[in-house]
Amino acid sequence: MSHQTEADRVLRSLGRACLEHDPDVLRSVLDRVGDKWSLILIGLLDKGPMRFTELLRTAPGISRRMLTLTLRSLERDGLVKRVIYPEIPPRVEYEVTPFGRTLSEPVLALTRWAADNQDTIRANRHAFDRAAGSDDLD
């Protein structure tokens, strides 16, 4: 198959996905998996349930507010489950749902790809910025 034909096939496939499915839901799901905090939290929770403060301490640079908003969105999408234990004080844990685990594998594969290729990406950015006369090297 020629490159142009393959490109046409991919574009038609993307167009069909947008036409055959609710574009708002499709876009929001892609936004969710493209959000760095969602990916990090899914990866952290893939190892097992964690409390809010553990996630806050473990997720590098996330604010309390962003953690709350991201967990709420992941819970709303059915990717994460919030479990409240009736203790004093109440204990709350978050865990990846079975549905969320179906996202873990592609997310971890994307993370591995990014880690494996970070030196190449950094070199490409540096070469591009140098050619463009930009001082922004990352």
Side-chain angles (χ1 to χ4, degrees):
M1 182 179 291
S2 75
H3 179 70
Q4 182 60 37
T5 306
E6 179 65 14
D8 290 341
R9 187 189 66 73
V10 169
L11 286 172
R12 279 193 305 275
S13 176
L14 290 171
R16 257 193 318 278
C18 289
L19 292 174
E20 294 172 359
H21 303 283
D22 184 338
D24 291 334
V25 172
L26 190 61
R27 186 175 54 252
S28 70
V29 169
L30 293 174
D31 285 345
R32 171 76 42 242
V33 298
D35 171 347
K36 78 174 180 178
W37 295 122
S38 293
L39 298 182
I40 288 171
L41 294 176
I42 291 285
L44 290 171
L45 292 170
D46 192 57
K47 296 177 178 79
M50 294 179 78
R51 296 181 74 170
F52 184 91
T53 53
E54 289 177 281
L55 288 167
L56 189 61
R57 190 175 53 249
T58 309
I62 194 167
S63 68
R64 284 182 155 296
R65 176 168 166 66
M66 184 54 66
L67 179 57
T68 299
L69 293 173
T70 305
L71 286 169
R72 193 171 292 151
S73 294
L74 291 169
E75 186 179 6
R76 181 174 183 240
D77 288 345
L79 300 169
V80 166
K81 181 170 89 173
R82 182 175 183 245
V83 180
I84 303 170
Y85 295 93
E87 302 171 352
I88 298 178
R91 180 170 51 107
V92 177
E93 289 183 341
Y94 295 88
E95 60 186 65
V96 175
T97 64
F99 177 59
R101 288 205 187 285
T102 65
L103 180 60
S104 293
E105 186 177 327
V107 164
L108 295 174
L110 180 59
T111 303
R112 280 190 298 276
W113 179 88
D116 291 348
N117 291 287
Q118 66 184 341
D119 291 339
T120 301
I121 292 168
R122 189 177 295 115
N124 289 339
R125 287 177 179 175
H126 182 75
F128 180 91
D129 290 346
R130 195 170 348 123
S134 173
D135 290 333
D136 184 18
L137 300 179
D138 272 334

